[in-house]
C-alpha cells in the first residue's frame, strides 16, 4: 500500500526532471557543465592535484567533488612522505587522497615514486649500491601498497637536465648508474602490473633539447621492451605557449605511449584563458592524450604564490580560464574526434568502427625480435559499456609476460582480458585502452569484444 503512492511520486519527479533536462538540452547540444563530465565525453579525465590537509575545507571539496574525475596527491605519495625513515612506511596522507578519489569515482594518479627532490633525509645522504637498493625497495613497497588502485604512476619525475644538453640531470639517483630509470620502471611493473607507468617532467612544452632527450629515452625503452606506458608533460606555463605544443605531444604518442598533461598551471599575467584553451585543444587533438590535471584548485592553493595560475579564484569562483577550458572540452563533442598516430612503430587501426551497441577492440603492436607490446583499444558503440572482456588467440610460441589496465585469463593460446575497476565504464562512442607484453610474435587478428 505504501509502495504504490511512492512509486507514483517518484515517477512524476523523474518525468519532471527528464522534461527539464530535455528543455535544457535544446540549444546546448551535448554540452556538459563540469570539467570532468565534459572531458569524459571523449573518454578523457580532467583532474586536480589535491592536498590531504585541505579536504576539511568545504569550498575546496565542493569544487573538487563537482568538477574533477581524477586526483593526484600534491605531496602525499612522495618519498619523504611515504618512507620518512628507511624501511618504515607511512601511507596516511596517500591513503587519504586515495579514498577521496575513490569516493568520487575518480582516477587516482600516483605521484611520484622517485624524484631527486623531496627525498627523505636518510636517502639524501646515501649513494651507490646502498642507495640503488633503497630506491628499488621504495618503488616496490609503495607500488605494492597501492596495487590495483592507481590509474597511472609517475615512476620517475624530473630526471632530465634543463638547457641544451638533452641529457640527464645530476643527482644522487643518477649517480647510481644510468639504468636507474629503467630499473625503476621494471620494479613498478612487477609490483603493480595494472598501473600505467609514466615518466614526468617540465620544460617539455615543445620540441626542445630536453623533450628530445626524453623522447629518445622513451623510444629506446619501447625498442628494448622496458615497460613504459605514458609520458607526463607538467606544463607549468608562463605567459606564452610554444607553437609546437601539440605536435610535441603527438610525436611522443607516435612512439606508442599515452601522453598526459600532469601539472597544468598558467601565469595570469598574459593570455591565461587562451593558453588554457590551447592546451586543452592540443590534448583533445591527440588521440593518446588521455587527460589533463591542473596543479591545484583555487589560486590560493597554488605553489606559484602570487601568479594566480589556476581555474578558480581564491574564493572558489570560476575564472575566465575555467570557461575557456570547459568550452574547449565541449567543442570536442561526445566522441573522440581524433585520428590515431600514423608514424612511428605503432601499426594497425586504433579507432575501430563501433556501430550500434556492444564494443569493438583493435590492437596496435610495437614488436621487436623476440617480443612485443600490444596496446588494445576497447571502443563502445552507440550505447555506453559497463564492463567488457576482450578475447584473442596468441600465436604459437607467444606467452604473456605482463598485462596492464586489464586482468587476464590464460597466458598462451586463447587468452582473455577483463576490465579493471577504473576502466570498465566507457561512454557511448568513447574508448579505453589496456596493454600487454609478450614473448614471441604478437597477435595479428582483430580481437573479439564482449560487454558485461
Ligand atoms: O614544484 C612544483 C611541482 C613541480 N613538479 C613536481 C611536483 O611534485 C611539484 O610540486 C610541488 C608541490 O606543489 C609543493 O607543495 O612540490 C613542492 C616541493 O618541491 C611542494 O612544496 C613543498 C614545500 O617545499 C615544503 O616546504 C612543504 O613541506 O610542500 C611541502 C608540503 O606542504
Amino acid at each position: 500500500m505504501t509502495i504504490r503512492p511512492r512509486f507514483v511520486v517518484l515517477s512524476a519527479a523523474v518525468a519532471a526532471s527528464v522534461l527539464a533536462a530535455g528543455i535544457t538540452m535544446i540549444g546546448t547540444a551535448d554540452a556538459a557543465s563540469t570539467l570532468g563530465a565534459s572531458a569524459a565525453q571523449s573518454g578523457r579525465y580532467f583532474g586536480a592535484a589535491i592536498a590531504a590537509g585541505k579536504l576539511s575545507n568545504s569550498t575546496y571539496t565542493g569544487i573538487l567533488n563537482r568538477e574533477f574525475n581524477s586526483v593526484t596527491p600534491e605531496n602525499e605519495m612522495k618519498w619523504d612522505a611515504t618512507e620518512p625513515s628507511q624501511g618504515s612506511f607511512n601511507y596516511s596522507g596517500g591513503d587519504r587522497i586515495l579514498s577521496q578519489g575513490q569516493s568520487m569515482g575518480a582516477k587516482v594518479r600516483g605521484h611520484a615514486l622517485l624524484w631527486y627532490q623531496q627525498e627523505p633525509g636518510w636517502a639524501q645522504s646515501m649513494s651507490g649500491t646502498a642507495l640503488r637498493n633503497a630506491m628499488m625497495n621504495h618503488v616496490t613497497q609503495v607500488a605494492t601498497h597501492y596495487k590495483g588502485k592507481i590509474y597511472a604512476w609517475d615512476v620517475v619525475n624530473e630526471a632530465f637536465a634543463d638547457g641544451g644538453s638533452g641529457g640527464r640531470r645530476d643527482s644522487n639517483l643518477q649517480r647510481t648508474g644510468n639504468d636507474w630509470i629503467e630499473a625503476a620502471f621494471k620494479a613498478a611493473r612487477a609490483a603493480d602490473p595494472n598501473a600505467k607507468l609514466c615518466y614526468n617532467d617540465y620544460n617539455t612544452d615543445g620540441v626542445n633539447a630536453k623533450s628530445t632527450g626524453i623522447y629518445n629515452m622513451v623510444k629506446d625503452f619501447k625498442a628494448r621492451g622496458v615497460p613504459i606506458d605514458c609520458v607526463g608533460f607538467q606544463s607549468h606555463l608562463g605567459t606564452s605557449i610554444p607553437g609546437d605544443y601539440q605536435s610535441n605531444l603527438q610525436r611522443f604518442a607516435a612512439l606508442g605511449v599515452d601522453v598526459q598533461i600532469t601539472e597544468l598551471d598558467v601565469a595570469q599575467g598574459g593570455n591565461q584563458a587562451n593558453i588554457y584553451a590551447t592546451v586543452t585543444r592540443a590534448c583533445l587533438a591527440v588521440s593518446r592524450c588521455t587527460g589533463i590535471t591542473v596543479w591545484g584548485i583555487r589560486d590560493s592553493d597554488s605553489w606559484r604564490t602570487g601568479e594566480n595560475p589556476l581555474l578558480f579564484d581564491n574564493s572558489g569562483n570560476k575564472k575566465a580560464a575555467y570557461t575557456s577550458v570547459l568550452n574547449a572540452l565541449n567543442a570536442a563533442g561526445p566522441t573522440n574526434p581524433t585520428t590515431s598516430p600514423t608514424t612511428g612503430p605503432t601499426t594497425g587501426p586504433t579507432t575501430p568502427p563501433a556501430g550500434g551497441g556492444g564494443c569493438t577492440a583493435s590492437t596496435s603492436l610495437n614488436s621487436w625480435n623476440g617480443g612485443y607490446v600490444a596496446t588494445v583499444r576497447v571502443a563502445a558503440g552507440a550505447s555506453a559499456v559497463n564492463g567488457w572482456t576482450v578475447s584473442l588467440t596468441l600465436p604459437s610460441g607467444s606467452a604473456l609476460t605482463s598485462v596492464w589496465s586489464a586482468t587476464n585469463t590464460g597466458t598462451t593460446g586463447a587468452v582473455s582480458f577483463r576490465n579493471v575497476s577504473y576502466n570498465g565504464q566507457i561512454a557511448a562512442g568513447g574508448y579505453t585502452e589496456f596493454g600487454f607484453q609478450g614473448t614471441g610474435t604478437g597477435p595479428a587478428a582483430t580481437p573479439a569484444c564482449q560487454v558485461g
Side-chain angles (χ1 to χ4, degrees):
M1 285 298 281
T2 51
I3 291 171
R4 202 182 168 107
R6 269 192 209 159
F7 177 74
V8 171
V9 170
L10 186 66
S11 301
V14 168
S17 68
V18 166
L19 193 62
I23 291 166
T24 312
M25 293 294 284
I26 296 168
T28 58
D30 293 313
S33 61
T34 66
L35 299 169
S38 53
Q41 292 176 127
S42 68
R44 293 178 173 84
Y45 65 84
F46 203 99
I50 60 171
K54 292 182 178 165
L55 293 173
S56 53
N57 180 304
S58 60
T59 306
Y60 185 84
T61 49
I63 300 170
L64 175 60
N65 287 323
R66 186 185 74 220
E67 295 287 344
F68 297 98
N69 58 2
S70 172
V71 296
T72 304
E74 188 172 354
N75 290 296
E76 290 79 352
M77 290 189 192
K78 290 172 180 175
W79 197 352
D80 61 349
T82 50
E83 196 180 0
S85 56
Q86 187 171 12
S88 161
F89 291 83
N90 181 343
Y91 297 112
S92 56
D95 288 356
R96 181 72 193 83
I97 303 287
L98 176 70
S99 67
Q100 171 66 31
Q102 289 174 332
S103 76
M104 297 160 59
K107 288 185 163 71
V108 180
R109 292 193 83 263
H111 174 85
L113 290 172
L114 291 178
W115 184 25
Y116 75 98
Q117 283 187 32
Q118 285 177 285
E119 286 180 24
W122 61 266
Q124 288 174 27
S125 56
M126 285 177 88
S127 63
T129 307
L131 176 58
R132 174 65 72 91
N133 289 342
M135 291 155 64
M136 295 311 136
N137 183 54
H138 180 75
V139 170
T140 300
Q141 296 295 329
V142 177
T144 300
H145 177 80
Y146 289 110
K147 180 180 179 182
K149 294 166 181 156
I150 299 292
Y151 162 69
W153 262 115
D154 292 330
V155 178
V156 169
N157 192 44
E158 301 176 14
F160 275 72
D162 290 310
S165 75
R168 299 284 181 86
R169 171 193 298 282
D170 180 50
S171 70
N172 64 340
L173 309 178
Q174 178 63 29
R175 274 177 254 130
T176 67
N178 204 50
D179 63 341
W180 72 279
I181 298 182
E182 62 194 83
F185 275 80
K186 287 175 185 165
R189 178 72 94 226
D192 186 357
N194 283 328
K196 286 183 184 274
L197 304 182
C198 301
Y199 176 81
N200 189 49
D201 216 326
Y202 67 93
N203 278 353
T204 52
D205 312 307
V207 176
N208 58 37
K210 185 174 180 179
S211 65
T212 298
I214 296 164
Y215 175 88
N216 288 334
M217 178 187 75
V218 174
K219 192 174 179 184
D220 171 56
F221 279 13
K222 295 299 273 187
R224 292 190 293 113
V226 177
I228 184 166
D229 310 307
C230 37
V231 175
F233 297 81
Q234 294 184 11
S235 305
H236 294 296
L237 296 169
T239 52
S240 64
I241 179 169
D244 56 1
Y245 185 88
Q246 180 180 319
S247 55
N248 187 47
L249 298 181
Q250 184 65 63
R251 73 172 174 151
F252 278 86
L255 292 175
V257 286
D258 288 348
V259 295
Q260 298 166 0
I261 314 305
T262 49
E263 303 184 14
L264 181 61
D265 49 20
V266 182
Q268 185 153 269
N271 258 335
Q272 186 179 51
N274 284 340
I275 293 172
Y276 263 109
T278 301
V279 170
T280 305
R281 284 193 293 263
C283 180
L284 292 167
V286 174
S287 62
R288 293 198 71 149
C289 182
T290 59
I292 298 174
T293 297
V294 287
W295 204 245
I297 296 182
R298 300 160 300 185
D299 285 333
S300 49
D301 301 315
S302 173
W303 68 295
R304 295 172 68 173
T305 314
E307 290 191 85
N308 298 322
L310 292 171
L311 300 178
F312 297 87
D313 70 17
N314 296 354
S315 308
N317 300 311
K318 297 170 181 173
K319 294 166 58 180
Y322 170 94
T323 309
S324 75
V325 169
L326 187 69
N327 289 345
L329 291 169
N330 278 320
T335 58
N336 189 324
T338 58
T339 53
S340 56
T342 50
T343 57
T346 303
T347 55
T350 53
T351 309
C359 60
T360 56
S362 63
T363 309
S364 299
L365 284 181
N366 178 12
S367 303
W368 59 91
N369 195 10
Y372 62 90
V373 165
T375 303
V376 183
R377 179 168 291 194
V378 183
S383 316
V385 162
N386 189 2
W388 48 263
T389 302
V390 168
S391 312
L392 53 85
T393 301
L394 298 174
S396 144
S398 172
L400 299 181
T401 52
S402 63
V403 178
W404 49 98
S405 302
T407 308
N408 63 303
T409 303
T411 55
T412 58
V415 294
S416 65
F417 303 88
R418 172 90 187 139
N419 66 272
V420 286
S421 59
Y422 58 77
N423 66 5
Q425 296 191 327
I426 311 174
Y431 67 85
T432 189
E433 289 180 336
F434 71 93
F436 55 89
Q437 185 167 344
T439 57
T441 311
T446 302
C449 188
Q450 220 177 350
V451 295

